[in-house]
Amino acid sequence: METPTPLPFRQIGKGFCGSVWAADRSGVASAMKREDGGTYRSVTHDSAMHIIIEASLTSLQQSPHHLAPRLNIPAHRELIASDNTCWWDARKQRFPEGYEACNTLITERILPFPKATRHKIIDLFFLPGSRKALKASRKDEDCLLRCYLGRRKDAFANPSRYFTLRNKPMQIHQLEGLGLPVVEYAETTADALAVLFWHAKVDGNDVEFVLAPPREGEEAWESEVLGSHRLWILDFDCVKPMSMDDAGIEQAAKAYYRNDPYYPRPDGNNAEDDDLWQIFVKRFLSASEKVLGASDLPGRMIEMLERLGRERGLRRAGLRAVETRG
């Protein structure tokens, strides 16, 4: 009996840390993040932070507190060194020509939304002239949706750079328009940050939250457009340990605003955003107490976030005034 030819690896994403690859197969699969991006980005560090965060999240999800019950983190599988000749000799030919051995992090692959869901998203959010090409695009089959709870459509905002389904940003007005459970998403991210800050003791810098299908058999949210889905947290190469004091709070609060707008923010411009911020705060403080017990650290974190939010709001108001006068 002939041995089947191994499937080639196909690039399914690319970021500052490096390119992400997978073999096209059904069911449980792996993703490989190559360290071929920015000079100062490391999949070795990504791997170390991933292990810490995965252990903390699993511990709190399985505890009696059941924090973030519909949040997934890809399972950490293996860190492959560039000099692991045994691994690379067996697999290098599955990458396109010119791709050399490098440090590579292997994790569970977050499976993309199916074809029917992708086509609904394209019909709803892309201009008619681009829909046919997007529906036929192999690259756009790798569809995950970034969950932006801290950004709403605004005439002052820059136009979107994204004309692809790969990591397509979904701003809060779009999520609301689809009837998606934004309050539950906000509560889930609040739980996640409580786990990151107080159990894993890391600042959450540059992590991502995406909407994607669940693992088989998992409880999930249901939507007419998205179908079954959960939140997934990923990308830990910029995460740093934080101290449990004012310096650590300032570090994490700055990371909160430096990140893409995955979380509700206290500097919104309408009542809905203000309400969502209050929901987020209430859940964050509750989840933090379950992790830490009695402590003033979570309250001090919220005070810092609100102070930085006010400063951002004042700067934005100044820019609007300049724009209006212009």
Side-chain angles (χ1 to χ4, degrees), residues 91-200:
R91 295 168 179 83
K92 184 179 175 182
Q93 73 279 5
R94 297 172 66 183
F95 289 97
E97 186 176 352
Y99 280 83
E100 301 298 328
C102 63
N103 294 337
T104 298
L105 174 60
I106 303 178
T107 66
E108 173 188 8
R109 182 183 180 187
I110 304 173
L111 295 180
F113 282 108
K115 180 179 180 180
T117 300
R118 296 196 306 270
H119 285 199
K120 289 177 183 178
I121 294 168
I122 290 168
D123 288 338
L124 285 167
F125 296 111
F126 290 87
L127 295 172
S130 65
R131 291 173 188 167
K132 184 177 180 181
L134 283 167
K135 289 178 180 179
S137 167
R138 184 69 183 86
K139 180 183 74 173
D140 289 291
E141 292 180 13
D142 307 316
C143 174
L144 307 176
L145 303 175
R146 293 183 177 184
C147 186
Y148 282 1
L149 299 174
R151 178 177 294 166
R152 185 178 294 274
K153 184 178 181 180
D154 186 274
F156 190 70
N158 291 326
S160 172
R161 306 188 308 267
Y162 295 94
F163 300 94
T164 174
L165 289 181
R166 279 189 179 176
N167 294 325
K168 173 175 170 51
M170 293 289 287
Q171 298 179 41
I172 189 167
H173 66 283
Q174 296 170 315
L175 300 170
E176 291 169 340
L178 295 180
L180 295 170
V182 293
V183 167
E184 293 180 50
Y185 297 164
E187 291 176 333
T188 300
T189 60
D191 282 1
L193 289 183
V195 173
L196 264 62
F197 295 159
W198 316 129
H199 195 275

Side-chain angles (χ1 to χ4, degrees), residues 30-43:
S30 293
M32 293 161 287
K33 181 188 281 190
R34 292 171 49 92
E35 193 177 273
D36 55 7
T39 306
Y40 300 105
R41 306 293 277 268
S42 165
V43 297

Side-chain angles (χ1 to χ4, degrees), residues 289-307:
E289 185 175 7
K290 292 173 182 176
V291 177
L292 277 176
S295 172
D296 66 347
L297 288 173
R300 286 155 58 191
M301 177 69 77
I302 294 300
E303 289 173 3
M304 176 66 75
L305 290 173
E306 291 184 337
R307 180 176 69 79

Side-chain angles (χ1 to χ4, degrees), residues 27 46 78 97 108 127 135 148 156 215 229 244 246 252 264 271 282 302 324:
D46 194 338
E78 193 172 3
E97 186 176 352
E108 173 188 8
L127 295 172
K135 289 178 180 179
Y148 282 1
F156 190 70
R215 301 182 181 106
H229 64 282
M244 297 292 101
D246 286 342
K282 181 178 178 181
I302 294 300
T324 300

Side-chain angles (χ1 to χ4, degrees), residues 239-258:
V239 170
K240 296 180 176 63
M242 61 179 279
S243 54
M244 297 292 101
D245 55 20
D246 286 342
I249 287 172
E250 183 175 4
Q251 173 187 336
K254 288 181 177 178
Y256 185 101
Y257 286 107
R258 191 163 50 240

Side-chain angles (χ1 to χ4, degrees), residues 1 7 11 14 31 33 85 93 120 128 170 198 217 243 270 276 311 320:
M1 183 175 179
L7 293 169
Q11 187 176 127
K14 187 172 179 63
K33 181 188 281 190
T85 55
Q93 73 279 5
K120 289 177 183 178
M170 293 289 287
W198 316 129
S243 54
N270 60 47
L276 193 63
E311 292 173 359
R320 287 177 186 274

